[in-house]
Amino acid sequence: VEFLYCDLASMKSIRQFVQRFRAKNCPLHVLVNNAGVMLVPERKTEDGFEEHFGLNYLGHFLLTNLLLDTLKQSGTHSHNARIVTVSSATHYVGTLHLNDLQSRCSYSPHGAYAQSKLALVLFTYRLQHLLTANGSHVTANVVDPGVVNTELYKHVFWAVKVAKWMTAWLFFKTPEEGASTSIYAAVSPEMEGAGSCYLYNEKRTKSADVAYDEDLQRRLWTESCKMVGISDESSRVP
């Protein structure tokens, strides 16, 4: 195990991390996008992005795109490289505001969090479409870990914290249980060659209907490229 520092809330840190990783000349067989904040008060990343959207979504969007060449080189016909992105059931109630992705008009912690998780699902489906169109030996899937007993809930209302403290043992998954579906997506032989799957409890299930909107997927991808400052190679793919 080797640790390399990367701050997903900083585009500069992400680029520096990718440079350090590439310098090692290592293959990359599995990338798990799992960083996140939830229900934080309104604030911005160092790049000026609303924190939920900037860290939960744009950080992973840039990291994945910068590592795509290495992933493509590492995958083979019999053993695809795998991208696993962690979303949430909250995406089912999310709305993507393409004209206000930074929630500047009206800020809601719940709305901003749900939007970031919906964006991750849309991103995964568009990414798999592009990978397939290019004949790449890389798959992209999205995971719902369930309700897990972690520090992610530190910004919720105090009454919710009390309820969580009293009932976590009964209703919440342990971190180990929460990680099981991500691990399944990353290493299970059953997932070899499978992409664009939404997984919950190690089973394929249906995501929100809006997540399958291909036009919305394309528009979000194009806008995301502009926001993080990378070229939109997808413009040549239908």
Side-chain angles (χ1 to χ4, degrees), residues 3-185:
F3 173 80
L4 291 177
Y5 178 80
C6 181
D7 180 359
L8 268 293
S10 165
M11 302 295 113
K12 179 180 178 181
S13 177
I14 294 168
R15 292 180 183 276
Q16 290 174 339
F17 164 80
V18 172
Q19 286 181 340
R20 289 193 296 269
F21 179 79
R22 282 178 173 171
K24 293 180 175 295
N25 292 315
C26 294
L28 178 58
H29 300 108
V30 178
L31 172 65
V32 180
N33 292 317
N34 189 45
V37 291
M38 185 176 77
L39 307 184
V40 297
E42 186 174 10
R43 59 194 188 198
K44 297 178 180 179
T45 67
E46 66 177 46
D47 301 288
F49 301 125
E50 186 278 314
E51 190 168 10
H52 289 99
F53 197 77
L55 194 160
N56 293 2
Y57 170 66
L58 287 177
H60 292 124
F61 179 86
L62 178 61
L63 178 68
T64 302
N65 273 279
L66 294 181
L67 290 172
L68 267 184
D69 284 345
T70 307
L71 284 157
K72 290 175 182 178
Q73 293 163 9
S74 304
T76 66
H77 178 72
S78 57
H79 290 91
N80 283 244
R82 303 186 187 188
I83 300 168
V84 180
T85 297
V86 180
S87 181
S88 161
T90 312
H91 92 275
Y92 287 105
V93 297
T95 301
L96 194 77
H97 301 282
L98 271 174
N99 296 323
D100 187 26
L101 292 172
Q102 304 300 318
S103 303
R104 293 191 177 103
C105 293
S106 61
Y107 181 76
S108 157
H110 294 83
Y113 177 70
Q115 175 180 245
S116 72
K117 291 300 179 178
L118 173 59
L120 289 170
V121 183
L122 288 158
F123 155 67
T124 298
Y125 293 164
R126 181 59 179 168
L127 175 59
Q128 184 61 64
H129 177 81
L130 298 174
L131 290 168
T132 301
N134 292 327
S136 303
H137 298 306
V138 183
T139 58
N141 292 297
V142 62
V143 166
D144 174 3
V147 183
V148 187
N149 189 14
T150 69
E151 291 299 310
L152 195 62
Y153 298 86
K154 64 183 179 181
H155 292 289
V156 299
F157 188 58
W158 68 267
V160 178
K161 288 182 181 179
V162 172
K164 173 181 176 290
W165 176 76
M166 295 175 65
T167 62
W169 64 275
L170 183 61
F171 297 112
F172 285 57
K173 293 182 178 181
T174 65
E176 290 78 12
E177 291 169 338
S180 66
T181 303
S182 294
I183 295 170
Y184 173 81

